[in-house]
Amino acid sequence: MDSIDPLEVSRILSESFRTDNVQRQSDGGSTKQPARDSLDSSEGKDPFLDAHSQNESFILLSSSQIHPSVLNSEMMRLTLSNQKEQSQQSIVDSVAQLQNPAEAGEQRDDIADTLEVIGKVADKLDDRTIIEHPMCESCAEAMLLVLDRDISDCVRERQILEDIGKAAELIEPLSSQHGSSIQAMQQELDKQEELEQALCETLSILDKQLDALCGQIDELASSEQREQASRSQKAQEQNQSSLVLERLEAEQWALDEKYARLAAQLTQLQRTNVFNDVFNITVSDGVASINGFRLGGRSTHNVEWAEINTAWGQSLLLLQTIARKLEYEFVGYRLIPMGAFSRIERLSEEGVGVTLELFGSGDLYLGRLFQSRRFDAAMVAFLACLDQVAQLIMSINPQLRLPYRIDQDRVGAVSIKPQFGQDELWTRACRNTLMDARWALAFVSSYNL
């Protein structure tokens, strides 16, 4: 063991790690064949190993830390163990060639022990670091670059820490000089803390008051919204009421206008005497006529009996119309207007009626004399009925008076019965009779029950 030079052992170890000469001495690379065969039998040839097998020389044919995805972990460990054993054996054989045969056995044992120690150290390094040992040249160079960078970082960090220490040494004298002021500042800080605590309490109270005010504001806002909605509803109702009022006012204006028009029309109708249009009584040349039919004037105006009879029929119809307007029933008489052949039925107390003919004729014969007497009685009955109506009118309005007073067969002191040779008196009596009938007609036209 004393004859072994340590420097020579180191040289041999380095050459075994860096060159291919030692590993290819005997079989031309047979020492690496098991590892290569193990790699070929696992998952095919490794492209990383193929790329470096011709240009570089290394013992450990495994992927470096730069390429972690080349082989899986199990295959890597098997390859490492095989290569370590082969490397150890190769180194032992190389060292044995340099010694004499006598000392070869002992030196080989010592080298084997040394290599075993080196292998254990490599295993420990594998357990303590993420890098597997031994490494190839490219991995070592990459590792050196990483270590150089770490060393640079540590140097820079050390420089920063030294600068901080120098700054602390400069600040320390100042802090010793101002020690008394620090105590005052501490007291002031305590006061400020107490003031801060008081302000925090005040702030909490103000926060509570703010929350209460926010609640009141929310209530007021909701109340304002309700009031706004109520005002909007009232305004809408007022608008609708205004529209209804305008429509009603327009309808009222239309009704007022219509009422005024109808009132004017009613006044005009009230002023219009329908009876005067239906029963138009006039006097011309002393002869009275009704609806254009003359009553009297046979000798002076040559009036035919047919016209006179028609005039008596119109007069009888007028008298009956007046009685109906006044809702009056004649006492003892019943009028039968039939134009030129009108009659008056005189009722007795027993209920037996006598028909009186209110038409005459100019023929002179015996039968006609009896008919003339019935004609005279019919004219007297007409005066009696007219007198009943006049009495009713004067009872309604006592201020009114009949123009020509009726007394049995006389009207205005002239007899209604025709006398021979006294045609003018009879004509005047007929005129007085129509004047009294027109007086009654005027009252009925303005009378309302």
Side-chain angles (χ1 to χ4, degrees), residues 2 17 48 50 73 116 135 177 195 211 228 263 327 402:
D2 295 335
F17 279 99
F48 180 77
D50 293 339
S73 59
E116 184 179 359
M135 294 184 294
Q177 293 177 1
L195 180 60
D211 294 337
Q228 184 67 25
E327 296 180 356
L402 194 64

Side-chain angles (χ1 to χ4, degrees), residues 253-271:
W253 178 80
L255 291 175
D256 291 341
E257 184 180 2
K258 185 177 180 181
Y259 174 77
R261 185 174 65 255
L262 293 177
Q265 186 178 359
L266 177 61
T267 302
Q268 184 179 0
L269 292 175
Q270 288 176 351
R271 293 177 180 177

